[in-house]
């Protein structure tokens, strides 16, 4: 058996090829994920130290073409409606390119902040857009984007933190809603939101130990991680679980070697990219989260990734830390 | 993409696929452009609604089109036929059956119910049967359980009557069907907590409930000692406020010691049967010892936490650093 290794060049080629698939029906069916896809692809390239694979000007032009003139914020594709999820992707891409200044034109920065803040509900939660879907994903998305833009305020942060705490469960995990079952991706969004708010201290040491325990039990005998008990492993949890453990300072509560093997086995050694599980179809979502997991564990000299923002630490180091002191 | 088998297309197959895709792409793009143009012209009619149906049929994840659909519905709502809202629920049900994990569809269904004119409790009660059906097809569906909680909350507020006790019967049935259903165990915690916090039982009933829960757990750990669902539940149950309030300290200590004895028995059985200790038994024994000490019980020579941790470091190496951390805290 040949020893598995990271197929870096193939993954770069795979990500590069994603925009050349306009003859595939699937490309058009996934328009609603395009901007997220660009963020995933760009961040994956950054981790592999190959940021220049994408043409910066073209990407920024595409991002700005997704601006929602009617409501502010960004949609996933030109003419699509804005949503918190895609607004975060836009802000992340612009920050990664050190190009947030493009928002200064036509008051876009102000409108973008208004769009995000305008989706906060009285109980501190956020809806994804005006149609009222509530999920801790959106609290994270909102706080993350506002943090990158340097526009967090106690009026937004304090109720949001209270809401997140209501989603803490008996098993140490977090759900998408108060009373909802723990899910590893929700652990990431809730811990990430608390970290951005600089309020991890709202959880006691023993609560955090319970969180660490529940997260560490996501690792299965084959090394892969699942998102909930008795579910199959999936490469994307290499990110949701690991980043959560990293945020609470317990990254080494799972076995790195086992997880590394699981991620590497999910690579497509012909066309590049990483899939959810070995021998399944690859996509850019699992590619970024597999790579980000490997980076967090310190394998292959990958570029360090920030577990809270899922962006290179060199980028996040420039963000203003909340609470803002002085002016 | 989740759970889709990988395929390596040959050049020939890829060429074939591209030819077939051409027509599909054209149809899809024409429909999309047509809908977005109509929207931008401010047209909100039942014809436009048909257009969104066609697109959502092809792509139920197109949230901008769902949004347009809702804006149309809000505009035409006074002119629609009486069966319009029923048809809309039917429309989302067809989609949910095919795509039970798409957030946008669940979201639309809730929106339809929230906007259903003069919706009586009958409409929401029927929804409880709908979600029953969906959960019977996938008993762990994350959206389905969330949806169930939303429906119950709505019914409780319409009828002014709590449903925790009925729901507890439901989750018990689900757990009895499959003891590894963590979603159901999770829901059990929510319901029992509600029942106590909202004072739904008198003192005697509360005590009966705690005692019957102890035997339920004991049965469960004997049934499947390798499944983490029941262990996480046990970990919660033995140290939660409800049990502490209902039992006297002596009764509480007795409960802990009884569970401890049972866990030791299960572990010994495993050793006898497979030559290996049961890691979950060891993990819970550590919690029980800690809880006993917190309740003021002196373990003295009976304390084995250090020994259990040493064993776990060897037997459960994936999580060894957690056990090392716990040892250093001792």
């Amino acid at each position: 058996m040949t020893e598995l290794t990271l197929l870096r060049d193939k993954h770069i080629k795979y990500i590069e090829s994603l925009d050349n698939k306009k003859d595939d029906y699937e490309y058009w069916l996934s328009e609603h994920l395009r901007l997220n896809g660009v963020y995933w692809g760009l961040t994956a390239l950054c981790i592999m130290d190959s940021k220049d694979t994408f043409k910066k000007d073209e990407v920024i032009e595409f991002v700005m073409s997704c601006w929602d003139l009617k409501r502010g914020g960004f949609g996933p594709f030109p003419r699509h409606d804005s949503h918190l999820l895609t607004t975060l992707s836009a802000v992340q891409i612009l920050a990664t390119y050190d190009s947030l200044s493009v928002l200064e034109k036509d008051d876009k920065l102000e409108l973008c902040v208004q769009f995000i803040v305008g989706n906060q509900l009285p109980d501190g939660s956020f809806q994804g857009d005006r149609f009222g879907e509530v999920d801790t994903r959106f609290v994270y998305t909102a706080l993350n984007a506002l943090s990158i833009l340097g526009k967090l305020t106690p009026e937004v942060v304090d109720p949001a933190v209270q809401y997140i705490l209501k989603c803490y469960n008996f098993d140490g995990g977090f759900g998408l809603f108060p009373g909802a079952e723990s899910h590893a991706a929700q652990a990431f969004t809730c811990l990430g939101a608390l970290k951005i708010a600089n309020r991890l201290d709202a959880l006691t040491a023993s609560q955090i130990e319970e969180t660490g325990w529940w997260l560490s039990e996501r690792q299965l005998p084959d090394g892969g991680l699942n998102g909930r008990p008795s579910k199959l492993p999936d490469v994307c949890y290499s990110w949701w679980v690991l980043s959560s453990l990293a945020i609470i300072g317990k990254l080494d509560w799972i076995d790195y070697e086992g997880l590394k093997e699981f991620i590497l086995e999910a690579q497509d050694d012909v066309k590049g990219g990483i899939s959810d599980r070995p021998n399944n179809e690859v996509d850019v979502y699992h590619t970024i989260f597999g790579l980000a997991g490997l980076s967090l564990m310190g394998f292959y000299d990958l570029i360090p990734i920030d577990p809270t923002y899922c962006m290179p630490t060199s980028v996040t180091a420039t963000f203003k830390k909340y609470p803002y002191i002085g002016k | 993409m989740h759970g889709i088998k990988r395929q390596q297309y040959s050049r020939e197959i890829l060429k074939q696929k591209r030819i077939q895709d051409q027509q599909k792409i054209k149809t899809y793009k024409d429909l999309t452009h047509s809908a977005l143009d109509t929207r931008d012209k401010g047209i909100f009619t039942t014809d436009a609604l048909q257009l969104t149906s066609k697109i959502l049929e092809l792509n139920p994840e197109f949230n901008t089109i769902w949004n347009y659909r809702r804006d149309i519905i809000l505009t035409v709502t006074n002119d629609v036929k009486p069966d319009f809202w029923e048809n809309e629920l039917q429309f989302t049900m067809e989609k949910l059956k095919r795509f039970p994990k798409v957030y946008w569809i669940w979201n639309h269904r809730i929106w339809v119910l929230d906007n259903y004119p003069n919706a009586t409790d009958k409409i929401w009660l029927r929804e409880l049967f709908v979600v029953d059906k969906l959960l019977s097809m996938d008993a762990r569906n994350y959206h389905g359980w969330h949806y169930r909680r939303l429906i119950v909350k709505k019914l409780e507020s319409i009828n002014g009557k709590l449903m925790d006790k009925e729901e507890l019967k439901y989750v018990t049935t689900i757990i009895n069907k499959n003891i590894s259903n963590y979603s159901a165990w999770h829901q059990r915690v929510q319901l029992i907590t509600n029942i106590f916090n909202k004072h739904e039982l008198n003192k005697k009933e509360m005590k009966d409930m705690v005692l019957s829960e102890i035997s339920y757990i004991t049965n469960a750990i004997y049934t499947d000692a390798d499944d983490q669902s029941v262990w996480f539940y046990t970990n919660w149950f033995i140290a939660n406020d409800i049990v502490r309030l209902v039992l006297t300290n002596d009764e509480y200590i007795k409960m802990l010691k009884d569970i401890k004895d049972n866990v030791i028995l299960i572990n010994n059985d495993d050793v006898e049967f497979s030559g290996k200790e049961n890691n979950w038994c060891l993990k819970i024994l550590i919690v029980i010892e800690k809880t006993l000490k917190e309740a003021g019980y002196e373990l003295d020579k009976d304390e084995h936490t250090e020994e259990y941790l040493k064993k776990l470091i060897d037997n459960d190496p994936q999580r060894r650093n957690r056990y090392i951390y716990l040892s250093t805290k001792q």
Side-chain angles (χ1 to χ4, degrees), chain A residues 109-157:
Chain A
L109 176 60
E110 194 47 41
L111 292 168
C112 193
V113 171
Q114 277 173 20
F115 170 73
I116 299 167
V117 174
N119 278 307
Q120 190 169 29
L121 302 174
D123 64 357
S125 68
F126 279 82
Q127 56 181 2
D129 63 18
R130 68 202 160 99
F131 287 108
E133 184 186 4
V134 171
D135 187 322
T136 44
R137 284 183 301 155
F138 307 143
V139 181
Y140 169 77
T141 313
L143 294 195
N144 185 344
L146 290 172
S147 158
I148 293 174
L149 297 172
K151 298 286 184 188
L152 289 167
T153 63
E155 289 73 25
V156 169
V157 171

Side-chain angles (χ1 to χ4, degrees), chain A residues 20-26 28-33 70-71 76 78-83 85 129-135 137 169-171 174-183 186 205-206 209-210 212-214 216-224 228-231 234 236 250 252-255 258 265-271 273-283 285-286, chain B residues 1-9 14 17-19 21-22 24-26 28-29 32-40 44 58-59 61-68 70-71 74 101 103-104 107 111 138 140-143 145-146 149-150 153 180-187 189-190 227-229 231-233 235-237 280 283-284 287 290 316-323 325-326 329:
Chain A
N20 305 327
K21 296 192 188 298
K22 291 177 183 154
D23 292 337
D24 286 338
Y25 186 40
E26 292 76 16
W28 298 100
L29 284 183
S30 59
E31 272 177 356
H32 61 280
L33 286 171
K70 197 166 175 188
R71 298 199 164 78
R79 304 183 75 196
H80 289 217
D81 294 347
S82 55
H83 191 281
L85 292 172
D129 63 18
R130 68 202 160 99
F131 287 108
E133 184 186 4
V134 171
D135 187 322
R137 284 183 301 155
N169 278 326
F170 74 98
D171 51 18
F174 291 86
L176 78 123
F177 196 82
E181 182 187 344
S182 299
H183 188 296
Q186 266 24 84
S206 94
E209 279 173 20
E210 293 288 297
W213 182 10
W214 188 82
S216 72
E217 296 292 348
R218 298 305 102 243
Q219 190 162 36
L220 298 165
D222 66 4
R228 294 187 284 153
S230 316
K231 301 291 276 186
D234 181 324
C236 64
K250 305 198 185 307
D252 65 357
W253 281 20
I254 60 121
D255 169 42
E265 277 171 13
Q267 297 179 111
D268 184 330
D269 56 7
V270 178
K271 60 179 181 284
I274 302 175
S275 53
D276 59 347
R277 279 187 283 287
N279 301 316
N280 278 354
E281 195 53 78
V282 299
D283 57 56
Y285 173 86
H286 290 93
Chain B
M1 269 173 262
H2 286 101
I4 314 255
K5 277 275 161 247
R6 188 178 297 164
Q7 294 181 31
Q8 308 294 359
Y9 292 113
L14 204 59
K17 181 182 179 305
R18 292 264 154 86
I19 292 167
D21 277 5
Q22 268 180 16
K24 288 193 205 162
I25 292 171
K26 188 176 176 324
Y28 182 76
K29 282 174 78 174
T32 302
H33 284 146
S34 167
L36 295 178
D37 289 347
T38 318
R39 177 199 66 175
D40 290 348
F44 300 95
L58 299 173
N59 182 6
E61 300 203 48
F62 201 155
N63 74 311
T64 298
I65 297 298
W66 282 113
N67 290 350
Y68 182 31
R70 284 186 282 266
D71 281 330
L74 290 174
K101 292 186 177 175
Y103 284 96
W104 312 114
N107 189 30
W111 182 88
D138 172 9
R140 293 293 308 281
N141 186 303
Y142 196 66
H143 304 276
W145 281 97
H146 178 47
R149 281 181 289 267
L150 294 179
K153 208 194 237 174
S180 307
N181 189 329
Y182 193 83
S183 306
W185 285 104
H186 164 87
Q187 191 56 11
V189 175
Q190 310 307 310
D227 181 70
Q228 54 179 264
S229 303
W231 292 117
F232 270 115
Y233 184 81
N235 180 51
W236 167 74
F237 186 78
W280 272 103
K283 288 182 233 191
I284 289 298
V287 178
K290 177 168 162 271
D316 187 20
Q318 288 182 321
R319 283 159 280 272
R320 68 192 300 271
N321 287 326
R322 173 166 177 262
Y323 307 125
Y325 168 89
L326 293 176
K329 266 185 62 179

Side-chain angles (χ1 to χ4, degrees), chain B residues 168-188:
Chain B
L168 185 60
K169 280 190 194 137
Y170 171 77
V171 299
T172 304
T173 320
I174 301 286
I175 293 171
N176 292 347
K177 267 188 213 155
N178 178 4
I179 203 161
S180 307
N181 189 329
Y182 193 83
S183 306
W185 285 104
H186 164 87
Q187 191 56 11
R188 193 173 189 86

Side-chain angles (χ1 to χ4, degrees), chain A:
Chain A
M1 213 175 97
T2 50
E3 200 179 319
L4 288 166
T5 188
L6 181 69
L7 307 170
R8 185 194 295 251
D9 293 345
K10 286 202 165 125
H11 297 324
I12 293 171
K13 284 225 166 61
Y14 167 72
I15 292 167
E16 197 178 8
S17 75
L18 289 171
D19 209 42
N20 305 327
K21 296 192 188 298
K22 291 177 183 154
D23 292 337
D24 286 338
Y25 186 40
E26 292 76 16
Y27 178 91
W28 298 100
L29 284 183
S30 59
E31 272 177 356
H32 61 280
L33 286 171
R34 189 71 70 238
L35 196 57
N36 309 80
V38 173
Y39 155 70
W40 295 326
L42 174 64
T43 308
L45 291 171
C46 287
I47 292 174
M48 295 185 289
D49 201 11
S50 185
K51 189 175 170 182
D52 296 338
T53 305
F54 280 173
K55 294 189 185 74
K56 175 179 171 179
D57 293 345
E58 285 177 15
V59 174
I60 292 176
E61 198 187 320
F62 176 73
V63 170
M64 296 318 288
S65 73
C66 295
W67 176 257
D68 184 335
L69 272 172
K70 197 166 175 188
R71 298 199 164 78
F74 291 86
F77 201 77
R79 304 183 75 196
H80 289 217
D81 294 347
S82 55
H83 191 281
L84 285 183
L85 292 172
T86 35
T87 299
L88 173 62
S89 290
V91 170
Q92 287 177 307
I93 296 165
L94 294 177
T96 300
Y97 280 128
D98 193 19
S99 297
L100 286 169
S101 57
V102 296
L103 294 175
E104 281 159 21
K105 204 172 157 233
D106 304 327
D107 296 327
K108 283 200 177 75
L109 176 60
E110 194 47 41
L111 292 168
C112 193
V113 171
Q114 277 173 20
F115 170 73
I116 299 167
V117 174
N119 278 307
Q120 190 169 29
L121 302 174
D123 64 357
S125 68
F126 279 82
Q127 56 181 2
D129 63 18
R130 68 202 160 99
F131 287 108
E133 184 186 4
V134 171
D135 187 322
T136 44
R137 284 183 301 155
F138 307 143
V139 181
Y140 169 77
T141 313
L143 294 195
N144 185 344
L146 290 172
S147 158
I148 293 174
L149 297 172
K151 298 286 184 188
L152 289 167
T153 63
E155 289 73 25
V156 169
V157 171
D158 296 349
V161 167
Q162 289 314 309
Y163 184 78
I164 292 287
L165 295 175
K166 281 192 234 161
C167 298
Y168 181 89
N169 278 326
F170 74 98
D171 51 18
F174 291 86
L176 78 123
F177 196 82
E181 182 187 344
S182 299
H183 188 296
Q186 266 24 84
F188 164 77
T189 60
C190 292
L191 292 169
L194 291 178
K195 174 79 181 168
I196 287 168
N198 195 27
R199 284 308 311 280
L200 274 176
D201 62 357
L203 296 171
T204 65
S206 94
Q207 279 181 312
I208 287 180
E209 279 173 20
E210 293 288 297
T211 307
W213 182 10
W214 188 82
L215 288 167
S216 72
E217 296 292 348
R218 298 305 102 243
Q219 190 162 36
L220 298 165
D222 66 4
L225 304 171
N226 62 15
R228 294 187 284 153
S230 316
K231 301 291 276 186
L232 291 171
D234 181 324
V235 162
C236 64
Y237 295 110
S238 312
W239 177 256
W240 309 123
V241 175
L242 274 192
S243 59
S244 301
L245 286 169
I247 290 170
I248 58 173
K250 305 198 185 307
L251 186 58
D252 65 357
W253 281 20
I254 60 121
D255 169 42
Y256 291 178
E257 284 300 325
L259 180 57
K260 180 182 88 171
E261 291 296 303
F262 181 79
I263 298 171
L264 294 180
E265 277 171 13
Q267 297 179 111
D268 184 330
D269 56 7
V270 178
K271 60 179 181 284
I274 302 175
S275 53
D276 59 347
R277 279 187 283 287
N279 301 316
N280 278 354
E281 195 53 78
V282 299
D283 57 56
V284 65
Y285 173 86
H286 290 93
T287 305
I288 165 65
F289 293 129
L291 288 167
L294 292 172
S295 167
L296 271 187
M297 294 186 287
F299 288 117
Y300 302 110
D301 289 327
L302 293 165
I303 297 297
I305 185 100
D306 187 316
T308 306
Y309 291 91
C310 196
M311 296 168 71
T313 51
S314 57
V315 176
T316 61
T318 65
F319 299 162
K320 212 157 65 154
K321 298 282 172 281
Y322 184 83
Y324 309 137
I325 296 156
K327 279 276 165 183

